[in-house]
Amino acid sequence: MTRSRRVAAVGAAACLTLVLSACVPDALLWGADGAEVIRTTERLVDLAVAGDADSLVCEGHDPELGERADWEGLSAEEPGRFVAEHWPDQAAHEPDWSINLSLGAERVTAGEQFPGDVFYRTTEDGLCLVDVVWSTVEG
């Protein structure tokens, strides 16, 4: 292999590594279903900030959504299949998925309350929200 080809091959490998490590699509990490939970949660945050989160709530459920400002700066984190042993209080809602939310650094102050975890059920129309667990920043 010529020097220029080696340099090009090393450069291409370095670029590929950078792209894969910096920009791994959610579907590769969490699967198609997990990626949908992330997308739905990002949509939930946007809708809640706009005051329209009720549009994602499952029929017959009334999760505590708080105020618009409670959702500002939140981002979806790690989705997972619902595990009743970890969330016994949510089991009655029969969720299929849970996902935690992270609070933006600008809001991390002792005593700050925010939606920390959300729970979804899978329906024919997609995911709908069945419950929200609130968290408090410890200080």
Side-chain angles (χ1 to χ4, degrees):
M1 186 183 289
T2 67
R3 177 170 159 51
S4 62
R5 284 185 135 182
R6 271 192 304 252
V7 169
V10 169
C15 286
L16 181 60
T17 300
L18 180 63
V19 166
L20 289 177
S21 65
C23 225
V24 177
D26 290 331
L28 286 177
L29 279 176
W30 307 109
D33 291 339
E36 183 59 27
V37 172
I38 292 170
R39 279 191 299 276
T40 301
T41 303
E42 290 168 348
R43 187 167 154 240
L44 170 64
V45 170
D46 290 343
L47 287 168
V49 169
D52 194 27
D54 288 337
S55 64
L56 278 181
V57 174
C58 291
E59 186 175 326
H61 290 270
D62 188 25
E64 175 58 46
L65 297 173
E67 303 296 323
R68 292 177 180 195
D70 296 328
W71 294 84
E72 290 178 4
L74 296 181
S75 58
E77 291 299 321
E78 300 176 352
R81 293 276 181 191
F82 178 73
V83 178
E85 293 80 27
H86 295 179
W87 299 102
D89 292 342
Q90 283 63 45
H93 300 290
E94 300 178 349
D96 297 307
W97 290 93
S98 65
I99 184 169
N100 57 315
L101 299 166
S102 66
L103 187 62
E106 67 282 352
R107 287 189 51 199
V108 178
T109 57
E112 177 77 15
Q113 293 186 331
F114 66 99
D117 294 271
V118 294
F119 300 84
Y120 298 105
R121 181 178 301 146
T122 304
T123 69
E124 290 178 7
D125 298 324
L127 297 172
C128 64
L129 182 69
V130 295
D131 202 12
V132 176
V133 170
W134 287 72
S135 298
T136 303
V137 176
E138 293 184 19

